[in-house]
PDB file of all heavy atoms in Angstrom:
ATOM      1  N   ILE A  53      16.193  34.189   3.724  1.00  0.00           N
ATOM      2  CA  ILE A  53      16.242  33.473   5.012  1.00  0.00           C
ATOM      3  C   ILE A  53      17.669  33.478   5.541  1.00  0.00           C
ATOM      4  O   ILE A  53      17.922  33.469   6.777  1.00  0.00           O
ATOM      5  CB  ILE A  53      15.633  32.079   4.854  1.00  0.00           C
ATOM      6  CG1 ILE A  53      14.158  32.188   4.440  1.00  0.00           C
ATOM      7  CG2 ILE A  53      15.761  31.272   6.133  1.00  0.00           C
ATOM      8  CD1 ILE A  53      13.510  30.905   4.078  1.00  0.00           C
ATOM      9  N   LYS A  62      19.839  22.884   5.475  1.00  0.00           N
ATOM     10  CA  LYS A  62      19.454  21.425   5.397  1.00  0.00           C
ATOM     11  C   LYS A  62      18.000  21.100   5.319  1.00  0.00           C
ATOM     12  O   LYS A  62      17.633  19.920   5.379  1.00  0.00           O
ATOM     13  CB  LYS A  62      20.128  20.714   6.594  1.00  0.00           C
ATOM     14  CG  LYS A  62      19.919  21.426   7.931  1.00  0.00           C
ATOM     15  CD  LYS A  62      20.742  20.815   9.038  1.00  0.00           C
ATOM     16  CE  LYS A  62      20.438  21.409  10.348  1.00  0.00           C
ATOM     17  NZ  LYS A  62      21.394  21.199  11.368  1.00  0.00           N
ATOM     18  N   GLU A  63      17.140  22.088   5.208  1.00  0.00           N
ATOM     19  CA  GLU A  63      15.685  21.720   5.320  1.00  0.00           C
ATOM     20  C   GLU A  63      14.877  21.964   4.014  1.00  0.00           C
ATOM     21  O   GLU A  63      13.717  21.652   4.011  1.00  0.00           O
ATOM     22  CB  GLU A  63      15.059  22.464   6.515  1.00  0.00           C
ATOM     23  CG  GLU A  63      15.622  22.022   7.827  1.00  0.00           C
ATOM     24  CD  GLU A  63      15.184  22.857   9.017  1.00  0.00           C
ATOM     25  OE1 GLU A  63      14.376  23.814   8.743  1.00  0.00           O
ATOM     26  OE2 GLU A  63      15.616  22.595  10.083  1.00  0.00           O
ATOM     27  N   SER A  73      15.715  24.702 -14.077  1.00  0.00           N
ATOM     28  CA  SER A  73      15.798  25.759 -13.052  1.00  0.00           C
ATOM     29  C   SER A  73      15.721  25.140 -11.638  1.00  0.00           C
ATOM     30  O   SER A  73      15.030  24.163 -11.417  1.00  0.00           O
ATOM     31  CB  SER A  73      14.628  26.725 -13.182  1.00  0.00           C
ATOM     32  OG  SER A  73      14.342  26.982 -14.551  1.00  0.00           O
ATOM     33  N   TRP A  94       2.793  46.349  -4.695  1.00  0.00           N
ATOM     34  CA  TRP A  94       1.836  46.436  -3.567  1.00  0.00           C
ATOM     35  C   TRP A  94       2.333  47.474  -2.499  1.00  0.00           C
ATOM     36  O   TRP A  94       1.542  47.948  -1.720  1.00  0.00           O
ATOM     37  CB  TRP A  94       1.718  45.128  -2.883  1.00  0.00           C
ATOM     38  CG  TRP A  94       0.985  44.052  -3.692  1.00  0.00           C
ATOM     39  CD1 TRP A  94       0.226  44.324  -4.820  1.00  0.00           C
ATOM     40  CD2 TRP A  94       0.975  42.655  -3.526  1.00  0.00           C
ATOM     41  NE1 TRP A  94      -0.230  43.147  -5.343  1.00  0.00           N
ATOM     42  CE2 TRP A  94       0.213  42.101  -4.543  1.00  0.00           C
ATOM     43  CE3 TRP A  94       1.626  41.814  -2.605  1.00  0.00           C
ATOM     44  CZ2 TRP A  94      -0.037  40.739  -4.708  1.00  0.00           C
ATOM     45  CZ3 TRP A  94       1.371  40.453  -2.733  1.00  0.00           C
ATOM     46  CH2 TRP A  94       0.595  39.935  -3.785  1.00  0.00           C
ATOM     47  N   GLU A 140       0.433  46.399  17.524  1.00  0.00           N
ATOM     48  CA  GLU A 140      -0.845  45.922  16.908  1.00  0.00           C
ATOM     49  C   GLU A 140      -0.817  44.409  16.655  1.00  0.00           C
ATOM     50  O   GLU A 140      -1.762  43.678  16.922  1.00  0.00           O
ATOM     51  CB  GLU A 140      -1.181  46.709  15.606  1.00  0.00           C
ATOM     52  CG  GLU A 140      -2.394  46.120  14.921  1.00  0.00           C
ATOM     53  CD  GLU A 140      -2.768  46.930  13.653  1.00  0.00           C
ATOM     54  OE1 GLU A 140      -3.096  48.097  13.739  1.00  0.00           O
ATOM     55  OE2 GLU A 140      -2.674  46.267  12.561  1.00  0.00           O
ATOM     56  N   THR A 163      14.934  42.656  21.234  1.00  0.00           N
ATOM     57  CA  THR A 163      15.229  43.544  20.076  1.00  0.00           C
ATOM     58  C   THR A 163      16.610  43.155  19.538  1.00  0.00           C
ATOM     59  O   THR A 163      17.532  42.834  20.329  1.00  0.00           O
ATOM     60  CB  THR A 163      15.237  45.020  20.408  1.00  0.00           C
ATOM     61  OG1 THR A 163      15.597  45.773  19.303  1.00  0.00           O
ATOM     62  CG2 THR A 163      16.134  45.358  21.574  1.00  0.00           C
ATOM     63  N   THR A 220      26.352  40.041  26.244  1.00  0.00           N
ATOM     64  CA  THR A 220      24.953  40.242  25.796  1.00  0.00           C
ATOM     65  C   THR A 220      24.912  41.449  24.897  1.00  0.00           C
ATOM     66  O   THR A 220      25.840  42.296  24.824  1.00  0.00           O
ATOM     67  CB  THR A 220      24.041  40.545  27.051  1.00  0.00           C
ATOM     68  OG1 THR A 220      24.668  41.544  27.850  1.00  0.00           O
ATOM     69  CG2 THR A 220      23.871  39.283  27.888  1.00  0.00           C
ATOM     70  N   TYR A 224      25.520  46.971  22.753  1.00  0.00           N
ATOM     71  CA  TYR A 224      25.716  47.352  21.339  1.00  0.00           C
ATOM     72  C   TYR A 224      24.445  48.010  20.791  1.00  0.00           C
ATOM     73  O   TYR A 224      24.496  48.528  19.724  1.00  0.00           O
ATOM     74  CB  TYR A 224      26.063  46.099  20.506  1.00  0.00           C
ATOM     75  CG  TYR A 224      27.327  45.470  20.979  1.00  0.00           C
ATOM     76  CD1 TYR A 224      27.291  44.548  22.034  1.00  0.00           C
ATOM     77  CD2 TYR A 224      28.578  45.883  20.508  1.00  0.00           C
ATOM     78  CE1 TYR A 224      28.397  43.952  22.525  1.00  0.00           C
ATOM     79  CE2 TYR A 224      29.704  45.269  20.981  1.00  0.00           C
ATOM     80  CZ  TYR A 224      29.629  44.347  22.034  1.00  0.00           C
ATOM     81  OH  TYR A 224      30.786  43.814  22.479  1.00  0.00           O
ATOM     82  N   ARG A 231      14.896  53.091  21.939  1.00  0.00           N
ATOM     83  CA  ARG A 231      13.670  53.891  22.102  1.00  0.00           C
ATOM     84  C   ARG A 231      12.431  53.122  21.513  1.00  0.00           C
ATOM     85  O   ARG A 231      11.363  53.116  22.063  1.00  0.00           O
ATOM     86  CB  ARG A 231      13.798  55.266  21.374  1.00  0.00           C
ATOM     87  CG  ARG A 231      14.214  56.390  22.331  1.00  0.00           C
ATOM     88  CD  ARG A 231      13.913  57.772  21.672  1.00  0.00           C
ATOM     89  NE  ARG A 231      14.584  57.945  20.455  1.00  0.00           N
ATOM     90  CZ  ARG A 231      15.901  58.257  20.327  1.00  0.00           C
ATOM     91  NH1 ARG A 231      16.600  58.442  21.428  1.00  0.00           N
ATOM     92  NH2 ARG A 231      16.458  58.404  19.148  1.00  0.00           N
ATOM     93  N   ARG A 241       2.272  47.349  27.944  1.00  0.00           N
ATOM     94  CA  ARG A 241       1.791  47.474  29.330  1.00  0.00           C
ATOM     95  C   ARG A 241       0.501  48.204  29.436  1.00  0.00           C
ATOM     96  O   ARG A 241      -0.435  47.827  30.122  1.00  0.00           O
ATOM     97  CB  ARG A 241       2.861  48.194  30.178  1.00  0.00           C
ATOM     98  CG  ARG A 241       4.085  47.293  30.527  1.00  0.00           C
ATOM     99  CD  ARG A 241       4.931  48.010  31.653  1.00  0.00           C
ATOM    100  NE  ARG A 241       5.421  49.265  31.210  1.00  0.00           N
ATOM    101  CZ  ARG A 241       6.614  49.495  30.622  1.00  0.00           C
ATOM    102  NH1 ARG A 241       7.390  48.460  30.313  1.00  0.00           N
ATOM    103  NH2 ARG A 241       6.997  50.667  30.271  1.00  0.00           N
ATOM    104  N   VAL A 254      16.633  34.792  19.404  1.00  0.00           N
ATOM    105  CA  VAL A 254      17.279  35.297  18.145  1.00  0.00           C
ATOM    106  C   VAL A 254      16.407  34.986  16.902  1.00  0.00           C
ATOM    107  O   VAL A 254      16.485  35.655  15.899  1.00  0.00           O
ATOM    108  CB  VAL A 254      18.668  34.749  17.949  1.00  0.00           C
ATOM    109  CG1 VAL A 254      19.667  35.397  18.918  1.00  0.00           C
ATOM    110  CG2 VAL A 254      18.772  33.245  18.051  1.00  0.00           C
ATOM    111  N   TYR A 284      11.560  43.246   9.757  1.00  0.00           N
ATOM    112  CA  TYR A 284      12.539  42.954   8.768  1.00  0.00           C
ATOM    113  C   TYR A 284      12.679  44.153   7.877  1.00  0.00           C
ATOM    114  O   TYR A 284      12.329  44.139   6.634  1.00  0.00           O
ATOM    115  CB  TYR A 284      12.315  41.670   7.987  1.00  0.00           C
ATOM    116  CG  TYR A 284      10.855  41.491   7.451  1.00  0.00           C
ATOM    117  CD1 TYR A 284      10.561  41.812   6.136  1.00  0.00           C
ATOM    118  CD2 TYR A 284       9.841  41.077   8.256  1.00  0.00           C
ATOM    119  CE1 TYR A 284       9.333  41.683   5.606  1.00  0.00           C
ATOM    120  CE2 TYR A 284       8.579  40.903   7.733  1.00  0.00           C
ATOM    121  CZ  TYR A 284       8.298  41.201   6.422  1.00  0.00           C
ATOM    122  OH  TYR A 284       7.017  41.063   5.914  1.00  0.00           O
ATOM    123  N   GLY A 293      14.098  46.904  -3.954  1.00  0.00           N
ATOM    124  CA  GLY A 293      13.007  47.884  -3.806  1.00  0.00           C
ATOM    125  C   GLY A 293      13.482  49.132  -3.107  1.00  0.00           C
ATOM    126  O   GLY A 293      14.629  49.325  -2.900  1.00  0.00           O
ATOM    127  N   ALA A 298       9.142  46.860   7.509  1.00  0.00           N
ATOM    128  CA  ALA A 298       8.148  45.796   7.572  1.00  0.00           C
ATOM    129  C   ALA A 298       8.199  44.999   8.827  1.00  0.00           C
ATOM    130  O   ALA A 298       9.261  44.970   9.478  1.00  0.00           O
ATOM    131  CB  ALA A 298       8.326  44.861   6.321  1.00  0.00           C
ATOM    132  N   GLY A 300       6.257  41.202  10.553  1.00  0.00           N
ATOM    133  CA  GLY A 300       5.261  40.136  10.370  1.00  0.00           C
ATOM    134  C   GLY A 300       5.411  39.013  11.338  1.00  0.00           C
ATOM    135  O   GLY A 300       6.301  39.058  12.168  1.00  0.00           O
ATOM    136  N   LEU A 308      -1.366  24.910  16.949  1.00  0.00           N
ATOM    137  CA  LEU A 308      -2.539  25.532  17.585  1.00  0.00           C
ATOM    138  C   LEU A 308      -3.680  24.492  17.739  1.00  0.00           C
ATOM    139  O   LEU A 308      -4.401  24.517  18.734  1.00  0.00           O
ATOM    140  CB  LEU A 308      -3.030  26.737  16.761  1.00  0.00           C
ATOM    141  CG  LEU A 308      -2.137  27.981  16.921  1.00  0.00           C
ATOM    142  CD1 LEU A 308      -2.548  29.089  15.956  1.00  0.00           C
ATOM    143  CD2 LEU A 308      -2.181  28.495  18.397  1.00  0.00           C
ATOM    144  N   ALA A 318     -13.444  24.762  24.020  1.00  0.00           N
ATOM    145  CA  ALA A 318     -14.785  24.335  23.439  1.00  0.00           C
ATOM    146  C   ALA A 318     -14.652  24.265  21.902  1.00  0.00           C
ATOM    147  O   ALA A 318     -15.412  23.569  21.285  1.00  0.00           O
ATOM    148  CB  ALA A 318     -15.823  25.395  23.869  1.00  0.00           C
ATOM    149  N   GLY A 338     -39.380  15.655  -1.059  1.00  0.00           N
ATOM    150  CA  GLY A 338     -39.264  16.863  -1.935  1.00  0.00           C
ATOM    151  C   GLY A 338     -39.550  18.068  -1.138  1.00  0.00           C
ATOM    152  O   GLY A 338     -38.770  19.020  -1.204  1.00  0.00           O
ATOM    153  N   ALA A 410     -45.626  27.535   7.078  1.00  0.00           N
ATOM    154  CA  ALA A 410     -45.341  29.017   6.935  1.00  0.00           C
ATOM    155  C   ALA A 410     -44.775  29.599   8.248  1.00  0.00           C
ATOM    156  O   ALA A 410     -44.142  30.668   8.262  1.00  0.00           O
ATOM    157  CB  ALA A 410     -46.576  29.769   6.514  1.00  0.00           C
TER     158      ALA A 410
END
Side-chain angles (χ1 to χ4, degrees):
I53 297 170
K62 47 189 184 195
E63 294 171 0
S73 318
W94 291 342
E140 175 179 296
T163 179
T220 52
Y224 301 87
R231 261 197 303 281
R241 284 194 299 270
V254 288
Y284 50 97
L308 285 173

